[in-house]
């Protein structure tokens, strides 16, 4: 883990309105850091930095903020669609994916404000929905 790179990324994002990873790479290079695009992406993910409102910024959702704005919609036969506030979908999807308490969960795909949850067996759709809703209430 490169803590100096992490510190430089956070500092540059706080001081500049950065809308593109290539711009961030150039700024980092000017300071003596030369991460590849994939390395930079991994650091951004680990630092909870996402593109929100057209620019990169830290997304640190509080426990109540994202859960109050989540709507769960069934899309039979085996999908759930979660609608969140902008910028929260990836954090919520990660929380759902990491929960071992949801039997029948195949996985998630997240955008900015929408999450698709795939259920292994259509007969488990309601049970998975209930488990996801319970997880979101506890978050």
């Amino acid at each position: 883990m490169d803590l100096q790179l992490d510190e430089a990324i956070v500092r540059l994002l706080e001081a500049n309105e950065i809308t593109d990873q290539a711009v961030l790479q150039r700024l980092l290079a000017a300071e003596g850091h030369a991460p590849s695009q994939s390395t930079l992406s991994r650091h951004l993910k680990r630092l909870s930095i996402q593109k929100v409102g057209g620019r990169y910024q830290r997304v640190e959702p509080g426990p109540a903020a994202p859960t109050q704005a989540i709507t769960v919609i069934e899309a039979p036969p085996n999908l759930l669609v979660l609608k969140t506030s902008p910028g929260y979908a990836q954090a919520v999807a990660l929380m759902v994916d990491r929960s071992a308490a949801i039997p029948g969960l195949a996985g998630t795909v997240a955008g900015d404000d929408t999450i698709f949850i795939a259920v292994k067996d259509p007969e488990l759709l309601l049970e998975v929905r209930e488990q996801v809703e319970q997880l979101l209430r506890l978050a």
Side-chain angles (χ1 to χ4, degrees):
M1 190 167 15
D2 188 346
L3 295 178
Q4 289 180 339
L5 177 59
D6 288 347
E7 290 170 1
I9 290 169
V10 171
R11 185 175 31 74
L12 287 169
L13 288 175
E14 288 173 353
N16 302 282
E17 189 168 310
I18 298 174
T19 59
D20 187 75
Q21 282 189 24
V23 172
L24 181 55
Q25 277 183 297
R26 285 193 295 275
L27 292 170
L28 288 167
E31 293 193 0
H33 302 280
S36 67
Q37 190 279 322
S38 60
T39 298
L40 180 57
S41 290
R42 281 193 300 276
H43 280 262
L44 293 175
K45 184 175 183 177
R46 189 177 68 249
L47 293 168
S48 299
I49 295 170
Q50 299 176 8
K51 197 171 195 178
V52 179
R55 69 182 192 95
Y56 284 93
Q57 56 188 318
R58 238 178 167 162
V59 177
E60 295 184 38
T67 57
Q68 291 178 345
I70 296 175
T71 304
V72 181
I73 304 161
E74 289 183 26
N78 67 329
L79 284 177
L80 294 173
V81 180
L82 276 63
K83 299 294 284 180
T84 72
S85 297
Y88 287 108
Q90 292 179 6
V92 172
L94 185 60
M95 182 175 59
V96 170
D97 277 333
R98 288 187 175 168
S99 174
I102 304 178
L105 175 74
T108 65
V109 177
D112 184 55
D113 63 355
T114 305
I115 305 165
F116 290 101
I117 298 178
V119 178
K120 293 177 186 175
D121 182 346
E123 292 182 13
L124 296 174
L125 187 64
L126 183 57
E127 181 180 340
V128 171
R129 178 184 180 151
E130 290 170 357
Q131 292 293 322
V132 168
E133 289 174 339
Q134 177 66 27
L135 175 67
L136 296 175
R137 278 192 292 272
L138 296 176

